[in-house]
Amino acid sequence: METIITRFPPSPTGYLHVGGARTALFNWLYARQNHGKFVLRIEDTDAVRSTQASVDAIFEAMNWLELDWDEGPYFQTQRFDIYREYLQKLLDSGDAYYCTCTPQEVEAMRQKAMADGGKPKYDGRCRERGLPKSDNAVIRFKSPLVGTTVVEDVIKGNIVFQNTEQDDFVICRSDGTPTYNFVVVVDDITMGINTVIRGDDHVMNTPKQILLYRALKSPLPVFGHVPMVLGKDKTRLSKRHGAMSVTAYRDMGYLPDAFINYLARLGWSHGDQEFFTRQELVEKFSLKNIGKSAGVFDTDKLTALNADHIRAASVRQLAPRVLPFFRKKGYDAADDEYLAGVIGTLHTRSKTLVEMADGAHFYYRDDVRPYDEKASKKFLTSETAKVLALLVEQLEALDNLAEKTQEGAFKRVMDQTGLGFGKIAQPVRVALTGTTVSPGIFEVIEVLGKERVLARLRAAVAFIESSGS
């Protein structure tokens, strides 16, 4: 069987956005599933808008998503010798010609065509003139004047284009710069690309590209055009829908596996399954299960799926992911057993890594004061000071604060005071975390460790005594 070779060809004129990332993912998944190759190509011929910062942003996003490529990155600006060679092939075969019509003349032709009830197009007046190369000449492709061009699309089905609606399009500008449709075909031919999965905004380019393939006597790739991604209001996804660079979602605390899981489900399905590991996506992805309708990007659904992935991940998998967020908060955190314990208490209750970092504040503060005002008024009182002092005595006598040993200490304080567990646990929670909301109190105590726990309980007692609560 022929090796499947797919490609992702972003233009470095901005960040990598959701739609582009999904296109990259679909090509990557198809290549990986078929043990093929995934090629990265940077389409940087737009000298005005292309920037190195955008190139770097694309690499950064691809690396975060862990969409590794087998060949490339290729840069179109480094391939002009190849394009000139293929331009000459088309000129030599008579499939292309020089045209000296001015932009103003071409615009007049288009206006006349529309006035006559047709589509705006170049009228082919230089087609048979046999003009030589000159400084002001463009190169046009000689499109067929009759017949049809059929796009055999594995997603949308066959799409038929009348050749009479095509004009002799420019494949090289007068300054020597080749145009998009031409360089894409040359790149795909020379890189051996045999499967093209891309957004359906490229459908109208495809008949032109098919004509170029045929003129260059090259086999056609498999084409599959994926419906676009829409916002919740069913309009094209934009910044007002929350569409940002892919790395912005990284900075908001989403996991790469959750993000690609969500991207995959924007237009592709496998039964009713929603949660997929990366390996499951590779195993189950297929072009035939890509839908014909647009995907709707919903940040709430992405966040819910991210929470599922955080819960499913191991502590060791989460540690290097969450550590930058902890450090950004100013926590003196390291990838150690203490961090593992902190994550273990928070990962089932955090929707994002940012949320996890917010929830970890009391683990990395030497002093949790000032206490939440409402919490301290309600739970840090003269009555609870005695309870906290009794708990200090019980915990101080223990060799360790593992959950089982803690339970005995709490039970003894309950026996001594006649209070239920909740009446003791909430004051302890406020003393240890500064608030009334935290993971389970036994978990918190075990992670904080004996020294921190005793210090904070004593500080709470001192606070109560000094405030006269």
Side-chain angles (χ1 to χ4, degrees), residues 10-26:
S11 298
T13 55
Y15 52 72
L16 181 60
H17 53 77
V18 168
R22 186 188 62 168
T23 297
L25 173 63
F26 283 1

Side-chain angles (χ1 to χ4, degrees), residues 331-350:
Y331 305 157
D332 184 17
D335 190 353
D336 53 18
E337 288 304 312
Y338 187 70
L339 176 67
V342 172
I343 294 171
T345 68
L346 295 171
H347 80 285
T348 59
R349 52 193 294 127
S350 303

Side-chain angles (χ1 to χ4, degrees), residues 413-431:
V413 173
M414 289 164 62
D415 291 340
Q416 291 173 26
T417 61
L419 296 173
F421 178 77
K423 296 287 187 180
I424 300 172
Q426 274 300 72
V428 172
R429 179 174 279 108
V430 175

Side-chain angles (χ1 to χ4, degrees), residues 143-287:
S143 296
L145 300 175
V146 296
T148 60
T149 299
V150 180
V151 178
E152 296 180 1
D153 192 303
V154 294
I155 296 170
K156 292 181 173 293
N158 288 1
I159 309 170
V160 180
F161 292 86
Q162 299 296 321
N163 288 337
T164 53
E165 296 185 354
Q166 298 286 349
D167 64 358
D168 289 356
F169 54 92
V170 175
I171 56 175
C172 186
R173 303 177 185 91
S174 58
D175 65 359
T177 306
T179 59
Y180 170 77
N181 281 308
F182 174 73
V183 296
V184 164
V185 169
V186 173
D187 284 340
D188 285 347
I189 290 172
T190 54
M191 294 174 189
I193 306 300
N194 53 29
T195 308
V196 174
I197 307 166
R198 58 190 179 187
D200 62 5
D201 52 334
H202 287 284
V203 166
M204 298 306 293
N205 292 322
T206 309
K208 293 179 180 179
Q209 293 171 12
I210 288 174
L211 293 174
L212 285 166
Y213 275 104
R214 289 175 176 160
L216 290 167
K217 297 180 172 51
S218 293
L220 296 178
V222 171
F223 288 105
H225 291 92
V226 183
M228 67 176 63
V229 180
L230 303 178
K232 276 186 175 182
D233 58 1
K234 303 298 177 69
T235 61
R236 192 181 182 96
L237 193 64
S238 64
K239 288 182 179 178
R240 66 190 176 86
H241 299 109
M244 298 164 286
S245 68
V246 166
T247 49
Y249 291 97
R250 173 200 64 189
D251 297 341
M252 290 162 65
Y254 293 95
L255 294 175
D257 279 9
F259 199 75
I260 68 164
N261 182 170
Y262 186 69
L263 287 181
R265 289 290 291 111
L266 282 176
W268 171 83
S269 63
H270 183 80
D272 295 328
Q273 186 173 345
E274 293 289 341
F275 183 99
F276 293 86
T277 65
R278 187 177 294 258
Q279 186 56 39
E280 283 180 313
L281 287 174
V282 170
E283 291 169 359
K284 296 176 179 179
F285 182 78
S286 66
L287 297 181

